[in-house]
């Protein structure tokens, strides 16, 4: 199992909407993430800066390479693009984080 952490940027004033959309996450997206081997996925918000911190456990990180081309993932990105920083393809601007400490 590999832990993957990253940061994204939420637009100011969109905190409640971001939470709402994730509370109503689509079943097909949940299925896709699980089928890709993703588990233990959490996203935290730094309310002072609007930064989102995500961490997930991936059983097969190479399977994650398939996600950007999947129609469900593309649809989710299009749905989220109005409330967070995104690239031209609607994928979130995401900065990977290097693990420097872990206490199992």
């Amino acid at each position: 199992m590999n832990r993957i952490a990253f940061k994204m940027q939420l637009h100011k004033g969109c905190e409640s909407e971001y939470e709402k959309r994730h509370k109503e996450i689509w079943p097909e997206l949940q299925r896709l993430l699980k089928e890709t081997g993703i588990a233990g996925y959490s996203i935290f918000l730094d309310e002072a800066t609007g930064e989102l911190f995500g961490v997930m456990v991936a059983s097969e990180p190479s399977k994650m390479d398939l996600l950007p081309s999947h129609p469900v993932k593309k649809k989710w990105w299009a749905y989220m693009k109005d409330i967070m920083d995104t690239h031209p393809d609607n994928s979130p601007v995401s900065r990977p984080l290097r693990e420097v400490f872990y206490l199992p």
Side-chain angles (χ1 to χ4, degrees):
M1 296 293 214
N2 296 284
R3 285 184 323 283
I4 298 167
F6 54 92
K7 288 171 67 173
M8 300 176 292
Q9 186 64 47
L10 188 61
H11 294 169
K12 187 173 178 74
C14 294
E15 299 83 3
S16 295
E17 182 62 24
Y18 187 87
E19 281 189 73
K20 177 184 175 287
R21 292 181 190 188
H22 280 80
K23 284 179 183 173
E24 301 168 352
I25 193 166
W26 308 331
E28 61 267 30
L29 181 56
Q30 288 183 43
R31 255 190 321 279
L32 174 63
L33 295 174
K34 289 179 189 236
E35 288 169 1
T36 308
I38 295 172
Y41 189 174
S42 297
I43 301 173
F44 300 86
L45 170 65
D46 179 340
E47 294 185 65
T49 65
E51 284 186 312
L52 298 163
F53 167 71
V55 63
M56 66 178 77
V57 175
S59 60
E60 296 179 57
S62 62
K63 281 187 172 183
M64 292 179 57
D65 295 339
L66 305 172
L67 287 174
S69 62
H70 197 282
V72 171
K73 193 67 168 176
K74 287 182 177 185
K75 183 179 170 186
W76 180 258
W77 287 345
Y79 178 54
M80 299 299 289
K81 73 179 182 178
D82 64 321
I83 61 172
M84 60 191 307
D85 290 356
T86 60
H87 293 287
D89 68 353
N90 297 331
S91 64
V93 173
S94 177
R95 297 176 310 281
L97 300 173
R98 181 176 58 90
E99 184 174 297
V100 295
F101 175 76
Y102 174 63
L103 179 66

